[in-house]
Amino acid sequence: MKTVFILNPQAGKGKGLDKIKETVAVCAKELGKEAGTYLTKNPGDAEKLAYLAADEAHKSGDKVRLIACGGDGTLNEVINGAAGFESAEIGIMPTGTGNDFVRNFPDAGDFLDVKAQMLGHTVKCDIIKYSGIIDGEEKTRYCANMFNIGFDCNVVDLTARLKTYPFFKGSFAYLAAVAGILVKKKGASLRIEIDGETVHEGPLLLTAIANGSFCGGGVRSSPKAALNDGLMDANIIYNVTRREFVKKFPAYSKGTHFELPDIDKLLYYRQCKEVVITPLDGSMRLCTDGEIADAGRIHMEIVSEAVNIVIPEK
């Protein structure tokens, strides 16, 4: 089995890529394994490389281990390229900024250790299949970790823009974006159908449809979510006041918000297999694994045990 490290130079400003390349060559020789590195140049390259590698392995009756070296967006591309191929095992070296997917594996070895990735075992994980009009085209794609619409999607969008300025770095950029979006109280107006039932229609602050537990660089917004339970976790925060949101945000960030009294007055939560979200204003900003697109009506469904995820050895 060949191991392919797909490196995104845009993630983490490309720091450490030369070291990864060097380490891959050393470890491959030491372990007697076939391994290589590929550097992406444009958006979509990781998906194309993953597809070609998975297809080649399938045709040869072999397996390939694809390690996405970047953030959650790079992992998303690799999963979309390799989805449907039993020949593919998918890992991630979290060299991006959010790196929320790997937070779902607190007992794993070091995800940044090249040798641990090459020697790691795999576990079956669910993914979310979604389809609809995305950036003006009818598409069907996959989500590994989480969708965010409304407040938190708008925060991600503003955070990315703030990080282009020299004084807005890391968590400070995120907190500044939270404050900025909160001033505008910019949410969304949606119809949300869960397993065939309309559960919300109208303005809301945010909704998160989750496979994993974390978003926004460590915000544990869906603490009950699991990557292998065959379910999505739908969270809707109603159009609450700024004061109420600020008061509850620390608990929401830590994942302890379900312990708060009267939380059901602020939050609708449900585990499910199918979600349909329709923007009542014609379109919405959809954040998928940290990447933002303009979307119309979106249909989501869970696909159980659809991918083989590499867990680094300790």
Side-chain angles (χ1 to χ4, degrees):
M1 178 176 67
K2 183 178 182 179
T3 302
V4 180
F5 290 80
I6 300 175
L7 283 64
N8 178 4
Q10 299 302 314
K13 297 183 178 179
K15 294 179 180 178
L17 294 190
D18 289 337
K19 181 65 175 177
I20 292 174
K21 291 180 184 178
E22 178 184 325
T23 307
V24 168
V26 170
C27 289
K29 185 176 182 179
E30 178 186 335
L31 299 172
K33 292 180 176 289
E34 185 179 3
T37 57
Y38 291 86
L39 196 69
T40 64
K41 296 180 179 178
N42 299 297
D45 281 358
E47 184 171 339
K48 294 172 186 175
L49 287 167
Y51 174 82
L52 291 171
D55 185 53
E56 181 181 356
H58 170 72
K59 289 176 178 176
S60 66
D62 200 358
K63 285 185 177 290
V64 64
R65 178 163 290 189
L66 304 167
I67 310 298
C69 303
D72 292 320
T74 308
L75 173 65
N76 179 278
E77 283 198 26
V78 171
I79 282 179
N80 274 276
F85 286 101
E86 275 296 322
S87 56
E89 299 176 355
I90 301 170
I92 180 167
M93 291 188 71
T95 62
T97 52
N99 303 319
D100 286 304
F101 186 81
V102 297
R103 299 177 196 272
N104 294 289
F105 304 99
D107 298 324
D110 186 358
F111 279 89
L112 292 172
D113 187 319
V114 169
K115 185 183 291 187
Q117 290 281 6
M118 294 177 71
L119 294 175
H121 66 283
T122 63
V123 296
K124 289 279 188 181
C125 287
D126 309 332
I127 53 176
I128 301 173
K129 180 181 179 180
Y130 67 107
S131 58
I133 302 297
I134 304 164
D135 285 337
E137 297 181 20
E138 182 72 37
K139 296 180 182 179
T140 296
R141 294 186 61 77
Y142 297 94
C143 168
N145 187 55
M146 191 179 299
F147 298 97
N148 301 96
I149 306 169
F151 178 87
D152 41 2
C153 176
N154 298 325
V155 167
V156 170
D157 197 5
L158 181 56
T159 300
R161 284 183 278 139
L162 288 177
K163 284 182 177 179
T164 63
Y165 296 94
F167 299 109
F168 291 93
K169 302 296 180 184
S171 60
F172 179 66
Y174 178 79
L175 292 173
V178 168
I181 298 298
L182 190 60
V183 168
K184 297 180 181 180
K185 201 188 168 194
K186 191 176 179 182
S189 184
L190 308 171
R191 179 189 303 117
I192 302 176
E193 302 163 65
I194 297 178
D195 288 340
E197 176 188 359
T198 299
V199 299
H200 181 86
E201 188 163 5
L204 50 75
L205 187 64
L206 66 88
T207 185
I209 310 300
N211 188 34
S213 292
F214 299 90
C215 67
V219 175
R220 199 178 178 206
S221 60
S222 296
K224 299 181 181 181
L227 293 171
N228 58 357
D229 61 357
L231 297 166
M232 294 179 283
D233 288 46
N235 303 271
I236 302 169
I237 294 184
Y238 301 126
N239 197 26
V240 300
T241 65
R242 294 181 184 87
R243 181 178 180 181
E244 196 67 45
F245 180 74
V246 170
K247 185 178 177 181
K248 300 291 192 296
F249 184 76
Y252 181 75
S253 180
K254 295 175 184 177
T256 59
H257 48 288
F258 287 112
E259 301 169 17
L260 297 175
D262 299 326
I263 189 63
D264 57 323
K265 295 180 181 178
L266 307 176
L267 169 73
Y268 178 90
Y269 167 78
R270 181 167 164 181
Q271 291 187 313
C272 56
K273 291 184 175 293
E274 183 179 25
V275 177
V276 178
I277 300 179
T278 306
L280 299 180
D281 297 330
S283 66
M284 61 186 173
R285 298 285 273 167
L286 177 69
C287 182
T288 308
D289 294 339
E291 301 297 318
I292 298 176
D294 292 309
R297 179 182 182 273
I298 295 293
H299 175 268
M300 307 168 180
E301 60 182 305
I302 197 74
V303 186
S304 298
E305 298 187 344
V307 292
N308 301 301
I309 298 295
V310 177
I311 306 298
E313 293 301 313
K314 290 188 176 180

